[in-house]
Amino acid sequence: MKTKPENDTDLRMKINRETARLPWAELERHFAQGSVVFVSAELDLIDVAVRISHDDKDSITRWMQDGKIAKASDAQAQAWAAADASLWTSVVSPFVLVQPDKSALH
């Protein structure tokens, strides 16, 4: 029986340990490959990564419909490059999930 995403503490801890802030300049090549996914600051980056790992289609579809996760846009990439932004980053192959620093929004 598969563990529910919300109960998968081992994966949650692993993803948390591997999450880091990276400068946009280091992420641009992944953006060029189409693998960067924007995660809204309203969501918990670790939770999103766990649910993608578990292929939780219901949550992912709902977030996409609400505009809370999406492939990073050209406009976002340009803004991050212009601001020399650092983003919270989590890799869930083949995707690189990115989220702006929540403190930068206040």
Side-chain angles (χ1 to χ4, degrees):
M1 185 170 138
K2 227 168 121 172
T3 305
K4 290 185 174 184
E6 57 273 15
N7 297 334
D8 194 344
T9 53
D10 290 341
L11 180 59
R12 188 171 297 278
M13 289 186 326
K14 177 184 184 301
I15 290 171
N16 191 38
R17 281 191 307 269
E18 295 173 356
T19 298
R21 282 182 67 177
L22 291 176
W24 177 248
E26 290 186 30
L27 299 165
E28 286 178 317
R29 68 182 171 92
H30 299 287
F31 174 74
Q33 296 168 346
S35 61
V36 173
V37 175
F38 165 77
V39 177
S40 166
E42 298 171 41
L43 299 176
D44 180 279
L45 181 63
I46 306 303
D47 187 49
V48 173
V50 168
R51 289 178 184 278
I52 289 174
S53 294
H54 275 268
D55 200 21
D56 179 351
K57 288 180 175 56
D58 292 340
S59 295
I60 296 163
T61 300
R62 184 175 66 251
W63 291 331
M64 289 176 74
Q65 289 171 343
D66 292 345
K68 293 182 180 177
I69 65 171
K71 289 244 180 180
S73 70
D74 290 344
Q76 287 171 317
Q78 290 168 349
W80 293 329
D84 197 23
S86 285
L87 304 169
W88 284 105
T89 307
S90 181
V91 176
V92 181
S93 189
F95 305 110
V96 179
L97 308 181
V98 299
Q99 185 176 57
D101 190 335
K102 291 176 184 182
S103 66
L105 302 175
H106 301 291

